[in-house]
Structure formats: C-alpha cells, structure tokens
C-alpha cells in the first residue's frame, strides 16, 4: 500500500484499511488481480485478489471434505512384525489416548486433525458458495467466516502428516510398516490445505460479504 | 512490491483517533466497541492482554516441566518394558544412528518450546519498557512464534500414531505416558499466550518517538 493516510485530510473511514498486525493506516486501493497490497510497516499481506479464487477455493474445499472423511476411516498405516499385524485409521490414532485423563487428549487430537479442518471446510463453503453464485450472503455468513478464521491456527492436519513420517522412522527397525489408502489421502489433504490458504484473500471475502452485488 | 514509500510517515490508527478491526481490517471511530462489518470485538490497544499473556505463559511453563520429567512413551517388548522421556527417547534414537529424527525431535519438543517461552516473555517485557528497539525484528519474532508454535504438537501426534499402531499382542506394544497430556497442554497454553499478545503494541513506542510534539 503506497497511499499512507494523511491525518489532515478528512477522509471517510470507509476509504481506509488498517493493518491488523501493526495498526498502520492506509488509504484503501484494491490492487490488480494477482498483485498484492503489502503493509509497508510490517510486510503483512493486506489484500491479494486472485482471479476465480472463489471457485478454486470451493473446489478445493469440496475435495478436502471428502479426503478428510476418507482419511478418517480408512487405515492409513499398517504394521507387520513376525506375523503380528495391525492397521490403524486416523480415528484409531486419536483414540490411542483413551485411558483415564488421556481421553481428553484423544478428543483434542481428533479435534485438531479431523474436526477443526472439517468445520473450517464446511464454514468456508457456507460463506463462499453464495458469493460465487452472486446470491445474497448466507445468514450469519460474517460470523461463520470470523469463526473459521479464529479456528485457523487450530487446524493441524499438515502437522499430523509430518508426524506420520517421524513415526515411521521411529519404528522402522522394529517392524515392517506399510501405507494404507488413507495415508495418500492425508498427503493430498495437506497439499489442498496449503493451496486453499494461498488462494484465500480474506479482505476480498469481507468486502464481498459487505457489498454482495458489487463484485 | 510496494516498499517505495518512507516508513517514517506511516501513522497508526490509534494516533488518528481510529480503532480498527483486527479480523477484517475495517476502520471505525475511536471508542467503537464492535465492528459493524464482521461483529468482532474491538479495542484500540488491549492493555489487559499482557496479563492474559503471562497467565497462559505461566500455565504453559508449569505443564512443560512434567512434560519433560514424566515418561512420554511406555514401550513393552517381549523381554523388557521401558519408559522414555522426550529427551531420553531422542538420545536413544541417536544411539541407533537416527540422528536426523533425533535432531527433529529435540528441535520440535525442546528447542522450539524453550525458544517460544523466551520469545513471548521478551516481547511482553519489551512493550512495557520505554526503549523502542528493533520493531521489525520484534514483529518477525512474533510471527515466527505464532507460525511455529503449532508445530510442537507433532510430538503428540507421533505418540498417538505409535501407540495405536504398535499393539502387537505379546510381541511389542507402545502406550502413551502421562507426559503426553502435559506436553499437549503446554503447547496449547503457549499458543493461547501468543494469541493473547496484541502485536500492535510493538509499534507504539516507535510511533511515539516520531511524534515531534
Ligand atoms: Zn502492518
Ligand atoms: Zn471487522
């Protein structure tokens, strides 16, 4: 953002944008598609519109939705040591903590790797589908999007995926470990989660929710 | 991109009598309490936030101690059963030659949590002191803490995967130890502590210095 707000000019507040990280004020100027407006003070990306971003995010969200469900119930790792076999799904892994107080940890784990990502996908679809179809925003779409944003740091599917790799190495000399179908689903899921974040311009979503028929 | 302007002229919303929504970036007159666009609660500076930062910080640290002294994993094989702490487990891996993984575990569950405690404390103290030093590095530090903090959860996920997978009847079994609970709580509390911190305060001293009046 180049246009630093001038304190002497009585600009209307609707023409301003304030960096949420450092409180710097700029005059709102929406960049071209594919360009970025970056905070000069702290380098945060303020606006980054992408062409057809809504459609891409919806497609990614739908794929994510089915991948999460698939990854949850299909086995994702199996083990074979001297004829003793075992295979586990992500749900099994979360509920490995199931004795006594560790049950809380099981719920937390299941939440961080399955439920939070799932809730975020549903909220994203709920908010974006009406926008992309040029319909009026869904009821409480703002609250839904705000909640989805608040959940963002608690969505940890990608961390779980790296955890699989670490676990594999840890038991490599103990047993033969094989990948189940859900392992690849989880791999794909990580790529999608990262991709969704790079397409999502939060400011554009807020703006279209505020002015439904202008975009 | 657009770094051309001189950062000297940048004004904070607080100085202009504006309060901004940290969720949706919209500006409102000072004193507005709820963002009329997205419904987020707004304060110009959350001074009470430092108390929450320290409260979560202390809880996180209190959980971090038992997370390291209690066993993280209980491994039972045919002939022996064995309990290992986080550091003990990493040392064992290094002895088996898996230096890479030992390094990742030490980094993720010892170095990063400790660095995070230090960084949050440093930031919380620095906004209270009158010296305005290196705002950019403090901002980067804050972003790194926020971004990297979540990754400490990897240890819990590894324990979950191992404990569910290695259940081989009499041959071998791995079960989670009490440290897993404390470690998870410690990560969650430090994440909450970092989220409670109002990063806009990092820039306030600089703004005051530039004010000629
Ligand atoms: Zn900024
Ligand atoms: Zn708002």
């Amino acid at each position: 953002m180049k246009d630093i707000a001038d304190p002497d000019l009585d600009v209307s507040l609707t023409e301003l944008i304030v960096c949420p990280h450092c409180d710097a004020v700029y005059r709102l100027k929406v960049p071209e598609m594919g360009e970025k407006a970056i905070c000069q003070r702290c380098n945060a990306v303020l606006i980054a519109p992408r062409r057809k971003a809504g459609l891409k995010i919806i497609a990614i969200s739908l794929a994510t939705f089915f991948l999460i469900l698939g990854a949850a119930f299909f086995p994702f790792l199996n083990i074979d040591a001297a004829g003793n076999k075992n295979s586990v799904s992500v749900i099994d892994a979360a509920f490995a903590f199931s004795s006594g107080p560790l049950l809380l940890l099981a719920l937390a784990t299941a939440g961080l790797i399955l439920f939070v990502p799932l809730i975020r996908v549903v909220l994203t679809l709920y908010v974006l589908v009406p926008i992309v179809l040029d319909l009026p925003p869904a009821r409480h779409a703002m609250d839904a999007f705000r909640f989805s944003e608040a959940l963002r740091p608690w969505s940890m599917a990608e961390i779980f995926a790296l955890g699989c790799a670490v676990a594999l190495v840890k038991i490599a000399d103990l047993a033969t470990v094989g990948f189940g179908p859900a392992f690849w689903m989880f791999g794909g899921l990580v790529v999608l989660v990262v991709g969704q974040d790079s397409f999502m311009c939060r400011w554009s979503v807020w703006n279209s929710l505020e002015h439904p028929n202008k975009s | 991109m657009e770094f051309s302007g001189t950062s000297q002229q940048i004004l904070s919303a607080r100085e202009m009598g504006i309060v901004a929504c940290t969720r949706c970036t919209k500006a409102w007159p000072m004193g507005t309490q709820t963002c009329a666009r997205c419904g987020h609660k707004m304060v110009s500076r959350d001074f009470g936030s430092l108390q929450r930062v320290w409260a979560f910080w202390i809880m996180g640290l209190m959980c971090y101690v038992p997370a390291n002294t209690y066993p993280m994993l209980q491994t039972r094989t045919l002939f022996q059963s064995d309990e290992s702490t986080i550091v003990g487990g990493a040392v064992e891996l290094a002895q088996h030659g898996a230096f890479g993984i030992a390094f990742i575990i030490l980094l993720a569950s010892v170095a990063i949590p400790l660095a995070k405690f230090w960084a949050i404390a440093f930031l919380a103290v620095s906004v209270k002191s009158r010296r305005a030093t290196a705002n950019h590095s403090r901002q980067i530090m804050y972003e790194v803490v926020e971004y990297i903090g979540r990754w400490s959860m990897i240890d819990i996920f590894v324990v979950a995967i191992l404990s569910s997978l290695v259940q081989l009847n009499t041959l071998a079994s791995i079960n989670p130890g009490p440290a897993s609970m404390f470690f998870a709580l410690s990560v969650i509390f430090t994440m909450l502590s970092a989220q409670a911190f109002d990063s806009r305060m990092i820039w306030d001293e600089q703004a005051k210095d530039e004010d000629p009046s």
Side-chain angles (χ1 to χ4, degrees), chain B residues 6-26:
Chain B
T6 47
S7 57
Q8 255 56 33
Q9 304 153 352
I10 299 177
L11 281 169
S12 289
R14 187 176 175 77
E15 300 166 274
M16 295 178 65
I18 294 172
V19 59
C21 175
T22 52
R23 263 292 168 244
C24 76
T25 69
K26 199 154 173 82

Side-chain angles (χ1 to χ4, degrees), chain A residues 1-2 4-7 13-14 16-18 20-26 35-36 38 40-43 76-79 81-82 84-88 92-94 96-97 101-102 104-105 109 112-113 142-143 146 149-150 152-156 158-160 162-164 166-167 169-171 173-175 177 203 206-207 210, chain B residues 1-7 9-16 18 20-29 37-40 44-45 73 77 93 96 101 104-105 136 139 143 150-151 153-154 156-169 171-172 174 176-177 180-181 184 188 191-192 195 199-200 203 206-207:
Chain A
M1 294 246 126
K2 250 181 225 154
I4 292 157
D6 188 342
L13 289 179
T14 54
L16 297 179
I17 179 169
V18 182
H21 303 285
C22 71
D23 215 29
V25 183
Y26 301 98
E35 306 256 297
K36 286 176 186 169
I38 293 170
Q40 276 183 47
R41 191 189 254 178
C42 75
N43 296 347
F76 77 107
L77 286 177
N78 50 64
I79 187 172
N84 288 283
K85 290 188 172 78
N86 189 20
S87 69
V88 290
D92 294 331
F97 307 107
L102 290 181
L104 278 177
L105 190 50
T109 309
L112 296 173
I113 56 187
M142 299 249 186
D143 294 317
R146 204 154 48 86
E149 285 296 289
R152 193 142 56 98
W154 304 100
S155 167
M156 299 192 178
E158 76 275 22
I159 300 174
F160 184 80
L162 192 67
C164 289
V166 176
V169 179
K170 274 191 116 169
I171 49 172
D173 56 344
L174 185 75
V177 182
W203 183 87
W206 288 122
N207 194 49
E210 193 182 20
Chain B
M1 278 279 308
E2 308 185 21
F3 300 130
S4 54
T6 47
S7 57
Q9 304 153 352
I10 299 177
L11 281 169
S12 289
R14 187 176 175 77
E15 300 166 274
M16 295 178 65
I18 294 172
C21 175
T22 52
R23 263 292 168 244
C24 76
T25 69
K26 199 154 173 82
W28 300 99
R37 171 151 83 174
C38 73
H40 195 59
S44 176
R45 287 299 174 277
L73 282 177
T77 53
L93 277 170
H96 284 89
I101 295 296
I104 289 182
I105 291 172
H136 264 286
Q139 178 72 32
E143 276 164 21
R150 318 156 55 232
W151 284 89
M153 271 314 248
I154 193 170
I156 297 303
F157 296 153
V158 170
V159 170
I161 294 165
L162 289 179
S163 324
S164 59
L165 190 59
V166 185
Q167 294 295 345
L168 301 168
N169 304 323
L171 190 66
I174 294 179
S180 53
M181 181 80 182
I188 289 170
M191 279 178 72
L192 290 171
Q195 283 178 15
S199 67
R200 296 172 298 183
W203 302 88
Q206 180 203 31

Side-chain angles (χ1 to χ4, degrees), chain B residues 46-109:
Chain B
D46 194 353
F47 292 107
S49 76
L50 285 180
Q51 275 175 353
R52 267 178 291 134
V53 169
W54 284 115
F56 285 128
W57 189 89
I58 289 167
M59 285 199 276
L61 196 63
M62 272 164 44
C63 291
Y64 187 67
V65 174
N68 277 278
T69 52
Y70 281 115
M72 190 78 162
L73 282 177
Q74 296 165 329
T75 314
R76 197 185 46 73
T77 53
L78 219 43
F79 308 107
Q80 59 179 14
S81 96
D82 171 40
E83 299 195 324
S84 63
T85 57
I86 294 173
V87 177
V91 170
E92 220 167 89
L93 277 170
Q95 282 167 347
H96 284 89
F99 291 106
I101 295 296
F103 178 73
I104 289 182
I105 291 172
L106 282 179
L107 193 72
S109 27

Side-chain angles (χ1 to χ4, degrees), chain A residues 12-204:
Chain A
S12 148
L13 289 179
T14 54
E15 289 166 36
L16 297 179
I17 179 169
V18 182
C19 175
H21 303 285
C22 71
D23 215 29
V25 183
Y26 301 98
R27 197 135 6 148
L28 183 58
K29 202 177 84 194
V30 182
E32 299 289 307
M33 285 287 168
E35 306 256 297
K36 286 176 186 169
I38 293 170
C39 174
Q40 276 183 47
R41 191 189 254 178
C42 75
N43 296 347
V45 176
L46 298 176
I47 311 177
R50 294 272 176 284
R51 210 173 291 282
K52 301 262 177 217
L55 221 54
K56 283 177 194 159
I57 295 170
I58 288 173
I60 291 175
S61 298
L62 281 173
T64 312
F65 182 79
F66 291 110
L67 279 184
I68 292 176
L69 288 184
F73 295 108
F74 285 105
F76 77 107
L77 286 177
N78 50 64
I79 187 172
D80 185 349
N84 288 283
K85 290 188 172 78
N86 189 20
S87 69
V88 290
S89 69
V90 174
I91 294 268
D92 294 331
F95 284 90
F97 307 107
S98 52
S99 55
L102 290 181
L103 186 62
L104 278 177
L105 190 50
L107 293 176
T109 309
L112 296 173
I113 56 187
L114 292 175
F115 299 129
V116 173
L118 207 57
I119 292 169
R120 285 203 68 214
V121 163
V122 172
L123 291 174
T124 306
L125 288 173
Y126 181 76
V127 172
L128 286 185
V129 168
I131 292 181
V132 169
L133 296 179
D134 275 330
L135 297 171
R139 285 186 65 191
H140 304 296
M142 299 249 186
D143 294 317
F145 191 56
R146 204 154 48 86
F147 184 50
S148 162
E149 285 296 289
L151 283 178
R152 193 142 56 98
W154 304 100
S155 167
M156 299 192 178
E158 76 275 22
I159 300 174
F160 184 80
L162 192 67
C164 289
V166 176
L168 283 180
V169 179
K170 274 191 116 169
I171 49 172
D173 56 344
L174 185 75
T176 318
V177 182
F179 304 113
F183 183 85
W184 306 109
M185 291 186 192
F186 235 88
L189 187 64
V190 171
V191 176
L192 291 183
V193 168
V194 174
Q196 180 176 26
D197 254 18
S198 72
F199 285 124
M200 175 83 88
C201 170
R202 284 157 196 96
W203 183 87
S204 304

